[in-house]
Amino acid sequence: MKKVDLAACPVCSKLEIDDEGAFLDDLKCTIKVYSKNDLIIRQGDLCDALHMLTQGSVKTEMIAENGNILGIEIIKAPRPLAPAFLFSDNNHFPVDVTALEEVEIMKIPKAEIMRLMMTNSDFMSSFMTHNANRTQFLTNRLQLLSIKTIKGKLAHFLLENSYGDGKPFIINRNQTQLAEFFGVARPSLARSLSEMVQDGIISINKKEYTILNPKGLRELLV
Amino acid sequence: MKKVDLAACPVCSKLEIDDEGAFLDDLKCTIKVYSKNDLIIRQGDLCDALHMLTQGSVKTEMIAENGNILGIEIIKAPRPLAPAFLFSDNNHFPVDVTALEEVEIMKIPKAEIMRLMMTNSDFMSSFMTHNANRTQFLTNRLQLLSIKTIKGKLAHFLLENSYGDGKPFIINRNQTQLAEFFGVARPSLARSLSEMVQDGIISINKKEYTILNPKGLRELLV
DNA sequence: ACAAGAGTGTAACAACTGTTACACTTTAAT
DNA sequence: ATTAAAGTGTAACAGTTGTTACACTCTTGT
C-alpha cells in the first residue's frame, strides 16, 4: 500500500510525527478499499468515525426525495469526508459518497479524534480551520443556488473560476456534472451555454473555457 | 443591563462559573448595543472576533450580486453569530446581519476563544457540536434550495415543520420572509400557496398551517 | 379612532426552464 | 480496430416562475 502523505492533509499536516507507521498503528483505525463507482457512504448513514480519504478521489451528492441529484463536490485524497458531522447532534451523513476510482478509506473512531484534539493544539486548530473552510464552501454553494437563472449561475461560476485575465481556464466537470452542480437540467444548461457562445460572451473548447466579454458576463448576474 | 443567561447558550452552557460577572470581566470583550433594523454586520466584513448575541434577535441574509435576497435564518439570543468563520482561512462574514429588535452583541477576541478551547474541554466540545449543527443546518438549506418547484419546496418545508399528526402548527415567518427563505418571488409563492389551499392539500389561517392531505403534499415532492 | 405602513390576494404577460426525443461525436474497453 | 458507452448539440412544446401592477386587509402607533 502506498504510504499516506500526511503532510498534504489539511487536518493532519501539523502533526509532528517521527514515524508515521507507528502513529497509524497507534490509532485504533480500520482501513477499507473500494472500487470505482462503489457507493462508499449512503445519505443518512451513521457518522461515528472520522472517514479519512487516504487514496483516490470521490464525489459527494445529495439525492432529494424526488430523485433529483445535487452534486456537492469532488474530493481528492488526502482529506477527511464530512468531518463536521462527527460532532453534530444528529450525526448522520448528509450525502452519498461514490468512488471515482480505486479508493482507500481510513476510519478513525470519534474518541481518537477527541483525544488528538485535546492533546495537540495544532491538530485542533487545523481541524477547526478545515471545518470552517467547509462551511465557507457550503455558503458559496448556497449563494450559487440562490441565483435564479442558469446564465446567472454560469456567470457567477465562471467569474469565480477564471483568473480574471481573459486567459483560458479548465473546468474539470463535464456538462452533466455541471448541471448537477447547479441543480438544473442538462439540456437547459447546454442551451444556456450555446447561447452565451453565440453571443460572443465566452468560448468553449472541451473543458477549456475562455471569457471573451467580461462585462457582458457580469451583466448576466443582474 | 439584563444578566446574560449563559446556561442557555449552546456554546457556553458547559462553562462552570461561580461568578459570571468575574468571568465576563476576565474576558477582554467589548459590548455594543443596536436598535431595531440596524445593520449589525455587513456581508464581507472581517470576522476576527466571536460575535455573541446576548440580547434580542437578528436575521441573517445573503445579498447576491443582482440584489436578490436569500434569507438564511432568524437567531435569538443567546447564540454566537457565524462562529465557524472565525477560523476560516478567508475570515469574512458571508451574510448581512440585521437587528429585529433592541440587540446587544458581545465581541470576544479570537485569541480568547482559542484560550478557552484549550483550557476547557467541555467548551471545546460544545463549540464543535454547535458548529457541526450549523453545518447540518446549511446542508438542509442546500437541500431545500435544490428542489426545483415552489410547491416542492413548500411540501418539504411544511412536512419538516409539522408534527406529522395533522394538527395545526405555526410558521413564524410572513409570506415575504418565506419567499426570501426559499429564494423565490413573493407573488409566485402566494400563487403556489393559494393553489395548494384550493386543492385542499393545506389550510392556512394567518401563520397557522394545517396539512389536510399529507399524501397529496408528499406527491408534490416528485 | 385614524392614518400610515406592512402584509396579502390576484391577474396578465413575458421569460425561463424542464421534458422528451433523437442525431451526432468523443472516449474507453475489448 | 471495433464496438459500446458516455457525452454533447439541438429542437418543440408544456409547464413554472418572475415581473409589474393594483386593490384590499390587517396591524401599529399616535
Side-chain angles (χ1 to χ4, degrees):
Chain A
M1 178 198 314
K2 202 182 119 196
K3 190 171 151 190
V4 180
D5 182 8
L6 282 182
C9 171
V11 306
C12 300
S13 61
K14 293 285 180 53
L15 293 174
E16 288 181 11
I17 299 162
D18 295 329
D19 181 351
E20 276 190 27
F23 163 71
L24 293 177
D25 287 346
D26 209 38
L27 280 177
K28 293 183 188 64
C29 61
T30 60
I31 290 184
K32 230 173 169 178
V33 175
Y34 299 85
S35 311
K36 183 172 180 178
N37 293 327
D38 277 1
L39 183 58
I40 301 171
I41 296 170
R42 181 172 277 111
Q43 202 167 340
D45 279 357
L46 190 67
C47 173
D48 55 357
L50 184 72
H51 289 59
M52 177 69 77
L53 177 67
T54 49
Q55 292 292 330
S57 59
V58 301
K59 69 172 173 181
T60 62
E61 50 196 14
M62 299 178 68
I63 318 285
E65 286 99 332
N66 57 16
N68 267 352
I69 295 174
L70 178 69
I72 305 292
E73 58 180 331
I74 292 167
I75 300 179
K76 295 195 175 88
R79 236 200 63 187
L81 303 177
F85 290 89
L86 191 53
F87 293 92
S88 69
D89 288 326
N90 164 23
N91 56 338
H92 295 270
F93 280 99
V95 291
D96 279 5
V97 178
T98 308
L100 292 176
E101 53 186 306
E102 282 280 303
V103 154
E104 182 188 281
I105 304 266
M106 187 165 95
K107 292 188 195 175
I108 309 172
K110 179 172 175 176
E112 292 287 312
I113 298 295
M114 294 287 258
R115 191 174 58 74
L116 263 180
M117 296 230 299
M118 296 194 193
T119 55
N120 187 320
S121 67
D122 282 335
F123 176 81
M124 185 195 75
S125 181
S126 302
F127 197 78
M128 294 296 300
T129 298
H130 181 69
N131 280 338
N133 289 343
R134 302 282 72 226
T135 305
Q136 190 102 44
F137 171 81
L138 283 181
T139 307
N140 283 342
R141 291 295 276 109
L142 265 187
Q143 181 127 39
L144 184 68
L145 284 187
S146 76
I147 298 174
K148 294 191 179 94
T149 65
I150 296 181
K151 287 185 186 176
K153 291 182 212 259
L154 274 169
H156 179 97
F157 180 79
L158 292 175
L159 287 168
E160 196 173 47
N161 282 275
S162 69
Y163 308 118
D165 56 3
K167 297 224 177 81
F169 52 95
I170 302 291
I171 296 297
N172 212 9
R173 288 182 156 88
N174 64 33
Q175 270 193 14
T176 306
Q177 291 171 328
L178 253 192
E180 288 176 0
F181 187 70
F182 290 161
V184 303
R186 204 270 309 165
S188 303
L189 179 71
R191 172 174 44 204
S192 292
L193 277 173
S194 76
E195 282 174 12
M196 287 163 75
V197 169
Q198 277 197 326
D199 294 347
I201 292 178
I202 59 173
S203 70
I204 309 176
N205 192 336
K206 316 250 171 167
K207 290 185 175 176
E208 186 184 270
Y209 291 70
T210 311
I211 296 176
L212 303 176
N213 179 0
K215 198 175 152 201
L217 194 57
R218 251 180 288 274
E219 276 165 10
L220 292 176
L221 291 170
V222 182
Chain B
M1 178 197 314
K2 201 180 121 196
K3 192 172 151 190
V4 179
D5 181 9
L6 282 181
C9 171
V11 305
C12 299
S13 60
K14 294 284 179 56
L15 293 174
E16 289 182 12
I17 299 163
D18 294 329
D19 181 351
E20 275 188 30
F23 164 70
L24 293 177
D25 287 347
D26 210 38
L27 280 177
K28 292 185 188 63
C29 61
T30 59
I31 290 183
K32 230 171 168 178
V33 175
Y34 298 86
S35 312
K36 183 172 179 178
N37 293 325
D38 277 1
L39 184 57
I40 301 171
I41 295 169
R42 180 172 278 111
Q43 201 167 341
D45 279 358
L46 190 68
C47 173
D48 56 356
L50 184 72
H51 289 59
M52 177 69 76
L53 177 66
T54 48
Q55 292 292 330
S57 59
V58 301
K59 69 172 174 182
T60 61
E61 49 196 15
M62 299 179 69
I63 317 284
E65 286 99 332
N66 57 16
N68 268 352
I69 295 174
L70 177 69
I72 305 291
E73 58 180 331
I74 293 168
I75 301 179
K76 294 193 176 87
R79 236 200 63 189
L81 303 177
F85 290 89
L86 190 54
F87 292 93
S88 70
D89 288 326
N90 164 23
N91 56 337
H92 295 269
F93 280 100
V95 291
D96 279 4
V97 179
T98 309
L100 292 176
E101 51 185 308
E102 282 280 302
V103 155
E104 182 188 282
I105 304 265
M106 187 164 94
K107 293 187 194 173
I108 310 172
K110 179 172 175 176
E112 292 286 312
I113 299 295
M114 293 288 258
R115 191 174 57 76
L116 262 180
M117 297 229 299
M118 297 194 192
T119 55
N120 186 320
S121 67
D122 283 334
F123 176 81
M124 185 195 75
S125 181
S126 302
F127 196 78
M128 295 295 300
T129 298
H130 181 69
N131 280 338
N133 290 343
R134 302 283 71 227
T135 305
Q136 190 103 45
F137 171 81
L138 283 180
T139 307
N140 283 342
R141 292 294 277 109
L142 265 187
Q143 181 128 37
L144 185 66
L145 283 187
S146 75
I147 298 174
K148 294 191 179 96
T149 64
I150 296 181
K151 287 184 186 178
K153 290 180 212 261
L154 274 169
H156 179 97
F157 180 78
L158 292 175
L159 286 168
E160 197 173 48
N161 281 276
S162 69
Y163 307 118
D165 56 3
K167 296 224 176 82
F169 52 96
I170 302 292
I171 296 296
N172 213 7
R173 287 182 156 88
N174 64 34
Q175 270 193 14
T176 306
Q177 290 170 329
L178 253 191
E180 287 175 0
F181 187 71
F182 289 161
V184 302
R186 203 270 309 164
S188 303
L189 179 70
R191 172 174 44 204
S192 293
L193 277 173
S194 75
E195 282 174 13
M196 288 164 74
V197 169
Q198 277 198 328
D199 294 347
I201 293 177
I202 58 172
S203 70
I204 308 176
N205 191 335
K206 317 252 171 166
K207 291 186 175 176
E208 187 184 87
Y209 292 69
T210 311
I211 296 177
L212 303 176
N213 178 359
K215 197 175 154 202
L217 194 58
R218 252 182 286 276
E219 276 166 9
L220 292 177
L221 290 170
V222 181

